[in-house]
Amino acid sequence: MKLRRLLLAALLGLAAPLPATAASPAAALPGDSAYRLADTYTDQAGRGFQLAEGRGRVRLVAMFYTSCRFVCPLIIDSAKGVEHALAPAERARLGVLLVSLDPARDDVAALRSVFDKRRLDPARWTLARTEAAGVRKLAAVLGVRYRALADGEFNHTSALVLLDRDGRVLARTEKLGSVPDPAFVAAVKAALAAK
Amino acid sequence: MRAAWLALALLATPGLAAGAGWARLPGGEFSSVLRYEDTGGKVKVAPFELQRLPVTNAEFLAFVRRQPDWQRGKAPEVFAEPRYLKHWQGPTTLGPTALPEQPVTNVSWFAAQAYCEAQGARLPTWSEWEYAAAADETRADARADPAWRERILAWYSMPSNRPLATVGQGPADLHGVRDLHGLVWEWVEDYSAMLVSADNRDQGDPDNLKFCGAGALSMDDRENYAVLMRVAMLSALQAEDTTANLGFRCARDLPGKTP
């Protein structure tokens, strides 16, 4: 486990100095795509990835952190609520990506623990972390404002953001809870139906 | 010609050339104008380095030449709105309305961040910026002095449609930093976090469940209009926004300290 983390750190360390604008595959992305962010992320299984790899799938994206007791569990509930409002065939095609606001404490083990505890489906769900600079950039693209508090908690706007297959923001909602925002669900269904 | 003289003058200033334009600030406990419930207005600023001058058009031009993805017309709109670098004559030409030694403006937060990353640096946090900007020529914290406040406020009453001065004309403060006041507004790393408050955190009403954690905010120092205006202006921005008098400078952790 320790070794794996070391390896991971080494890999991330290698990846970091690459210019954020390494051209190639991003070239074909629309200019308003969140997938223009080229930071490296790590998921709950320790796998490294870039946002643009999610291209081709409609996704819900939100930001959270694992030690948060109140609103963050609600963010997971809200994404599940959206899933439940969909037909099974729709649900299977929707990805859910939650990115930690707290990279200092949310390592792969912490993400994994929440992932398992909440019985999330790895075919659809990803819990991920990236380094602090990447967190701030993603938050900026998603319109999430946050501030670290003295006690280690965070103040943050809680939003579910809907990205189309090219990573463009289609809709967002700050109405959280297991009963989803109907307008937002309609946007999700429309995005899934679009070819 | 003037720019050439200025360059010579800068080279002749001890520390500027050799220190590559960075000043070291000792940091410490600092009393912010932003009084959050969780901090009581006291913030700890770790020692850091700050660029002595705002980033200039010439410096930013060198950056977009090295990283063409950040040139006007190439930077994706998710990172920079259409007004990005609009006062430059072309994507890699400054022209008459953008002198090399003027501070670069019309830059988005993403572009500023990318520039600093390319220097192995970052944008300063608001706390770092506010701490640095509290200094005058002789004091690390001159804010309680009415004369200091008046001098800074005078800038805000000047019309903003005049051409920007070139960098480095303001006096060097105690730390050797210039132009924190009186030239341009400056991006900070956490510009979007400052007014995040918990006022509408109400567990009973899902509509109001916008914030995690606690920490209401109040303005601690109502007399310090100059700084409060910065807070209000920065908080109103999106990261892709640009304005004609918003620039930036970079900060970095002390060598040997992991970021």
Side-chain angles (χ1 to χ4, degrees):
Chain A
M1 185 61 205
K2 227 179 199 152
L3 183 66
R4 204 166 104 199
R5 207 176 293 173
L6 271 175
L7 272 173
L8 181 69
L11 281 173
L12 288 174
L14 283 176
L18 283 176
T21 46
S24 59
L29 279 171
D32 54 351
S33 170
Y35 295 164
R36 292 279 186 159
L37 293 170
D39 305 282
T40 299
Y41 288 66
T42 309
D43 71 10
Q44 73 282 347
R47 189 186 64 95
F49 69 98
Q50 292 198 328
L51 292 180
E53 291 171 39
R55 208 173 174 191
R57 194 177 198 185
V58 176
R59 281 211 283 200
L60 291 186
V61 183
M63 302 187 81
F64 82 124
Y65 62 104
T66 65
S67 58
C68 165
R69 283 160 300 167
F70 300 111
V71 178
C72 302
L74 199 63
I75 291 173
I76 296 182
D77 292 341
S78 304
K80 284 187 164 182
V82 172
E83 282 196 316
H84 289 148
L86 302 174
E90 290 174 319
R91 195 177 308 149
R93 288 188 290 126
L94 180 70
V96 182
L97 171 64
L98 301 187
V99 177
S100 173
L101 290 166
D102 189 9
R105 286 184 301 177
D106 282 347
D107 56 9
V108 170
L111 297 174
R112 177 90 213 171
S113 158
V114 170
F115 196 91
D116 292 344
K117 207 174 292 169
R118 299 301 306 263
R119 296 199 175 90
L120 304 176
D121 180 352
R124 303 197 305 274
W125 285 67
T126 307
L127 303 188
R129 69 180 300 286
T130 188
E131 297 309 317
V135 172
R136 191 62 82 183
K137 285 182 237 176
L138 179 64
V141 168
L142 299 179
V144 169
R145 296 188 171 227
Y146 67 97
R147 185 175 68 83
L149 301 177
D151 64 359
E153 296 269 320
F154 286 78
N155 267 5
H156 63 97
T157 48
S158 300
L160 287 183
V161 179
L162 175 65
L163 300 184
D164 76 5
R165 291 184 175 86
D166 281 329
R168 284 176 290 211
V169 175
L170 285 178
R172 51 182 281 135
T173 182
E174 295 191 5
K175 292 182 184 167
L176 296 188
S178 49
V179 179
D181 174 358
F184 188 74
V185 170
V188 173
K189 282 173 171 280
L192 290 166
K195 65 158 186 61
Chain B
M1 191 59 200
R2 184 147 154 233
W5 278 114
L6 181 66
L8 280 177
L10 288 178
L11 282 174
T13 310
L16 263 187
W22 296 87
R24 182 164 294 195
L25 282 75
E29 195 170 80
F30 177 73
S31 179
S32 173
V33 295
L34 301 178
R35 178 185 283 271
Y36 298 104
E37 209 170 60
D38 58 304
T39 64
K42 296 278 180 220
V43 293
K44 267 225 155 77
V45 176
F48 68 106
E49 291 186 338
L50 187 65
Q51 288 190 308
R52 294 172 190 270
L53 299 170
V55 173
T56 63
N57 283 317
E59 289 168 328
F60 204 79
L61 177 64
F63 163 69
V64 302
R65 282 194 172 137
R66 280 193 307 272
Q67 298 202 13
D69 285 2
W70 284 104
Q71 288 170 13
R72 187 177 84 192
K74 286 191 187 158
E77 65 246 43
V78 68
F79 297 151
E81 59 151 315
R83 288 179 296 177
Y84 175 57
L85 296 176
K86 71 168 172 132
H87 62 305
W88 287 15
Q89 191 166 57
T92 55
T93 330
L94 298 184
T97 52
L99 301 179
E101 297 304 326
Q102 280 176 328
V104 67
T105 57
N106 288 315
V107 283
S108 67
W109 177 86
F110 285 109
Q113 182 85 3
Y115 175 94
C116 292
E117 278 181 25
Q119 327 296 318
R122 55 181 173 78
L123 287 172
T125 64
W126 167 257
S127 296
E128 287 170 340
W129 193 93
E130 189 188 0
Y131 160 78
D136 70 359
E137 292 89 323
T138 55
R139 295 165 289 189
D141 190 346
R143 295 175 299 170
D145 181 353
W148 178 89
R149 293 177 175 192
E150 254 166 57
R151 196 171 84 185
I152 285 167
L153 269 177
W155 173 58
Y156 293 89
S157 60
M158 293 193 311
S160 62
N161 54 2
R162 307 192 307 186
L164 291 171
T166 53
V167 301
Q169 297 193 38
D173 70 16
L174 181 72
H175 308 297
V177 178
R178 298 171 193 257
D179 298 333
L180 286 165
H181 299 282
L183 187 55
V184 284
W185 308 91
E186 295 183 20
W187 280 113
V188 294
E189 191 264 345
D190 51 349
Y191 77 95
S192 72
M194 291 187 286
L195 294 188
V196 174
S197 152
D199 291 351
N200 46 5
R201 189 178 63 119
D202 177 349
Q203 300 294 338
D205 181 352
D207 280 1
N208 288 336
L209 261 177
K210 291 183 178 164
F211 298 108
C212 235
L217 167 68
S218 65
M219 298 295 184
D220 197 31
D221 183 358
R222 283 152 212 243
E223 297 301 307
N224 201 341
Y225 305 114
V227 173
L228 293 177
M229 268 192 276
R230 294 243 172 194
V231 173
M233 197 277 308
L234 287 170
S235 298
L237 293 169
Q238 304 285 333
E240 69 275 18
D241 288 345
T242 71
T243 87
N245 31 31
L246 175 60
F248 70 101
R249 71 179 78 210
C250 307
R252 63 187 183 192
D253 299 316
L254 293 189
K257 221 181 120 239
T258 45

